């Protein structure tokens, strides 16, 4: 079974309108993760996290901490599942031209055939896999995170990495890179993939402007 989650910054109502229509067209049942607004006490009182990968100034800002805590929460939820997958979207995904319900079961089949442990469905035009195959799974020493806006993970792996991943050291994609290295996870990229509306400049980032 696949459980679908969307990490959403609730004041960004345009994003939710776009995504609600997207998920309805894709016939996906979504669990919305809208906790940890950047101005809540949990964020304001969170210890400073110094990281060269921060959006600016070498310190994770409130929006980045908010997103990190959303990822931590969804990872805990997936880790509590019984032998199931979780697919995580951030709220800046662009609707793909392909059917998620149609493609994801075959993507998972190929992912499992190579004993993959985390699958990056999100991509960027600069990191896209170029192939004539309908579906392709790639895994090598370079296939760490492709940003964190769309990925798939099994409940057993979520449970395994939970304590390490939830110790925030970096933005979510770099936190995953550290986690992949620490556990020597078999990290995979896939084609087809899903882009970010922010990275292709359709909408502004909520992270770099805070």
């Amino acid at each position: 079974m696949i459980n679908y989650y969307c990490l959403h910054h609730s004041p960004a109502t345009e994003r939710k309108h776009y995504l609600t229509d997207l998920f309805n067209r894709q016939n996906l049942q979504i669990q919305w993760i809208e906790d940890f607004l950047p101005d809540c006490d949990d964020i304001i009182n969170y210890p400073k996290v110094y990281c060269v990968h921060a959006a600016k100034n070498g310190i994770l800002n409130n929006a980045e901490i908010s997103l990190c805590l959303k990822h931590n929460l969804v990872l805990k939820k997936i880790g509590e599942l019984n032998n199931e997958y979780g697919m995580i979207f951030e709220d800046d995904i662009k609707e793909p031209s392909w059917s998620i319900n149609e493609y994801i079961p075959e993507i998972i089949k190929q992912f499992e055939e190579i004993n993959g442990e985390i699958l990056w469905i999100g991509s960027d035009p600069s990191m896209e896999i170029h192939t004539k195959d309908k579906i392709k799974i790639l895994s090598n020493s370079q296939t760490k995170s492709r940003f964190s806006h769309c990925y798939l993970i099994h409940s057993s792996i979520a449970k395994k990495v939970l304590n390490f991943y939830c110790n925030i050291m970096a933005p979510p994609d770099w936190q995953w890179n550290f986690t992949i290295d620490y556990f020597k996870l078999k990290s995979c990229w896939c084609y087809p993939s899903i882009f970010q509306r922010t990275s292709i400049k359709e909408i502004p980032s909520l992270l770099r402007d805070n």
Side-chain angles (χ1 to χ4, degrees), residues 10 19 62 91 112 118 173:
S10 56
L19 290 168
N62 286 3
D91 67 1
E112 291 181 339
I118 186 165
D173 52 346

Side-chain angles (χ1 to χ4, degrees), residues 1-8 15-16 18-34 74 77 86-91 93 100-101 149-151 194:
M1 180 176 176
I2 307 168
N3 301 267
Y4 297 97
Y5 305 86
C6 185
L7 315 185
H8 174 53
R15 292 188 176 204
K16 192 163 189 177
Y18 176 91
L19 290 168
T20 299
D21 289 343
L22 184 165
F23 295 137
N24 285 340
R25 283 191 294 270
Q26 292 277 347
N27 294 313
L28 301 182
Q29 296 297 315
I30 296 293
Q31 298 180 51
W32 294 91
I33 306 296
E34 300 178 309
V74 78
K77 288 179 178 291
M87 186 168 171
I88 301 97
F89 306 101
E90 292 178 355
D91 67 1
I93 61 165
I100 291 172
N101 279 322
H149 61 277
C150 184
Y151 60 98
I194 293 175

Side-chain angles (χ1 to χ4, degrees), residues 88-186:
I88 301 97
F89 306 101
E90 292 178 355
D91 67 1
D92 62 345
I93 61 165
K94 181 175 176 63
E95 184 166 11
S97 60
W98 45 278
S99 166
I100 291 172
N101 279 322
E102 176 188 346
Y103 274 71
I104 289 299
E106 180 60 27
I107 286 171
I108 290 176
K109 179 175 180 290
Q110 293 191 24
F111 174 63
E112 291 181 339
E113 285 173 354
I114 64 168
N115 298 311
E117 293 179 291
I118 186 165
L119 179 63
W120 302 97
I121 300 166
S123 186
D124 178 88
S126 66
M127 304 175 77
E128 185 69 311
I129 297 172
H130 298 288
T131 178
K132 294 182 179 178
D133 297 327
K134 178 182 176 181
I135 291 169
K136 188 174 182 64
I137 306 296
L138 179 67
S139 181
N140 58 41
S141 62
Q142 305 302 312
T143 53
K144 295 185 184 178
S145 71
R146 287 196 296 186
F147 311 101
S148 59
H149 61 277
C150 184
Y151 60 98
L152 183 131
I153 188 168
H154 192 269
S155 54
S156 62
I157 302 300
K159 189 179 301 183
K160 174 181 177 178
V161 305
L162 180 64
N163 289 338
F164 183 91
Y165 185 84
C166 288
N167 177 25
I168 299 173
M169 298 175 284
D173 52 346
W174 279 96
Q175 187 80 357
W176 270 117
N177 289 342
F178 298 152
T179 304
I180 290 164
D181 285 343
Y182 183 83
F183 289 98
K184 297 181 172 57
L185 297 181
K186 186 164 188 175

